[in-house]
Amino acid sequence: MSHRNARLTVHGRRLLIARVRSGRPVAHVAEEMGISRPTAHKWIRRWRSEGDPGLTDRSSRPRTTPHRTPSAMEARVCRLRQDRKLGPARIGPIMDLPASTTHRILVRHGLNRLAFLDRPTGQVIRRYERDRPGELVHVDVKKLGRIPDGGGHKVLGRQAGRATRSGMGFD
């Protein structure tokens, strides 16, 4: 989804393509629409190669992460965390990794807080696991004071209210 101040939405890109297909110069159309010529050419090129689906927004997430820490090393970091209960600053030198990378690995695997782990076993504690949302029922409990007939201490005064409070309390 485009942000609200975007120069080109999917509709605007289709309009750009239509104007260029009608024979108008790309530079003129780009200037009218408030975008640069390279951006206009990018959308035209994408439309020519992919058709109408090429005009939709794409994810900015990279398809690959070539420098990501290998999974075997991530498993060793997690094992150190669970077995020895060490923090990122102490695991990093053992694994020859920066503490920030070690922390990122622990966050990715849900091991970043020692409070999330069961102390003796080192396993992640799952406090609530439910099959579907709303499965747990929430009940509010509130103290409600019993006010005697004729009013409480605000009407009768503090001493009078106490004297007549036989059995008064909370529900």
Side-chain angles (χ1 to χ4, degrees):
M1 175 183 286
S2 298
H3 59 87
R4 55 191 182 96
N5 294 329
R7 291 286 182 185
L8 289 181
T9 60
V10 177
H11 175 72
R13 294 169 199 153
R14 287 190 185 115
L15 189 60
L16 169 82
I17 299 300
R19 288 179 181 175
V20 171
R21 286 183 70 194
S22 70
R24 304 199 47 225
V26 176
H28 294 185
V29 175
E31 187 177 347
E32 288 172 1
M33 299 189 83
I35 59 172
S36 65
R37 281 188 353 201
T39 301
H41 280 290
K42 173 184 75 172
W43 289 113
I44 292 166
R45 187 173 49 253
R46 202 177 280 183
W47 177 79
R48 285 185 180 143
S49 66
E50 300 176 29
D52 222 26
L55 300 178
T56 57
D57 292 325
R58 296 178 178 175
S59 172
S60 60
R61 180 176 178 253
R63 290 187 188 94
T64 61
T65 311
H67 299 293
R68 182 173 171 168
T69 309
S71 57
M73 189 173 284
E74 286 192 12
R76 285 185 58 209
V77 167
C78 293
R79 182 62 41 216
L80 278 172
R81 176 60 160 200
Q82 290 173 325
D83 293 346
R84 296 195 201 168
K85 317 289 189 295
L86 299 176
R90 297 201 40 212
I91 294 174
I94 294 171
M95 297 295 299
D96 198 28
L97 290 171
S100 58
T101 302
T102 307
H103 175 70
R104 206 51 229 140
I105 292 168
L106 294 174
V107 168
R108 189 178 304 133
H109 293 280
L111 301 171
N112 56 317
R113 299 242 180 240
L114 276 176
F116 295 169
L117 300 178
D118 183 34
R119 290 277 182 182
T121 63
Q123 298 299 314
V124 178
I125 299 171
R126 303 271 181 229
R127 301 231 185 260
Y128 295 104
E129 287 188 17
R130 298 291 160 203
D131 293 336
R132 57 190 185 279
E135 195 171 345
L136 294 173
V137 177
H138 179 80
V139 178
D140 282 338
V141 178
K142 182 177 180 180
K143 286 183 176 181
L144 298 172
R146 291 188 204 147
I147 300 172
D149 294 335
H153 74 273
K154 293 205 175 193
V155 174
L156 303 174
R158 286 270 180 202
Q159 293 302 343
R162 279 200 187 104
T164 59
R165 278 185 78 178
S166 58
M168 293 296 128
F170 292 98
D171 284 335

